[in-house]
Amino acid sequence: MSVDTKLMKTENQPAVIDTGREIVAAKRPSRVRFAMAFGVAAISDFMSMWTDFVPPIQWAIDLGTAAALFLVLGRRWALLPGLLVEAIPGMGVFPVWVLVVISIILYDEIRTHKK
């Protein structure tokens, strides 16, 4: 029995239901890309601490950081919540981008369904 099937218990025998999707591991970026992403995030968070009271400059830094991380790490949904949190006034004093990159490094092994 393969990984992509589920057992459903009936009165007499279990019935096998095929989901039609194969579970595959997500492609993981290299350590060099993770190091580059961590550097971009650290520089952005350092600059955000000093531009917290000038929102247009901070928004430009955050959009640039999101674009740079998108280019370095690829399409990752974890970048969107980081961008939303950085849009909240006063959150620039916390290292949000560093935390986003760390969460991508730690939780990138989550398996996805292949369509």
Side-chain angles (χ1 to χ4, degrees):
M1 191 169 14
S2 67
V3 176
D4 63 339
T5 58
K6 297 178 183 175
L7 288 178
M8 188 171 109
K9 198 90 162 157
T10 59
E11 291 179 19
N12 298 331
Q13 300 175 358
V16 177
I17 300 173
D18 187 7
T19 61
R21 296 186 202 178
E22 181 182 348
I23 298 177
V24 295
K27 290 185 180 179
R28 189 170 173 85
S30 67
R31 289 184 180 189
V32 173
R33 286 190 175 262
F34 281 139
M36 288 174 28
F38 191 79
V40 167
I43 291 169
S44 173
D45 283 337
F46 180 75
M47 289 173 39
S48 288
M49 282 192 301
W50 304 109
T51 61
D52 196 31
F53 298 111
V54 188
I57 294 174
Q58 186 174 9
W59 297 335
I61 290 172
D62 292 335
L63 286 175
T65 302
L69 291 177
F70 182 79
L71 290 175
V72 172
L73 295 174
R75 291 183 292 168
R76 303 279 183 228
W77 282 105
L79 296 176
L80 184 59
L83 186 60
L84 292 176
V85 168
E86 283 286 340
I88 299 171
M91 293 301 287
V93 296
F94 298 108
V96 175
W97 287 118
V98 170
L99 294 175
V100 166
V101 171
I102 289 172
S103 72
I104 290 173
I105 290 171
L106 293 177
Y107 298 112
D108 200 37
E109 291 286 328
I110 296 175
R111 298 189 176 267
T112 60
H113 289 284
K114 183 179 178 184
K115 293 183 180 181

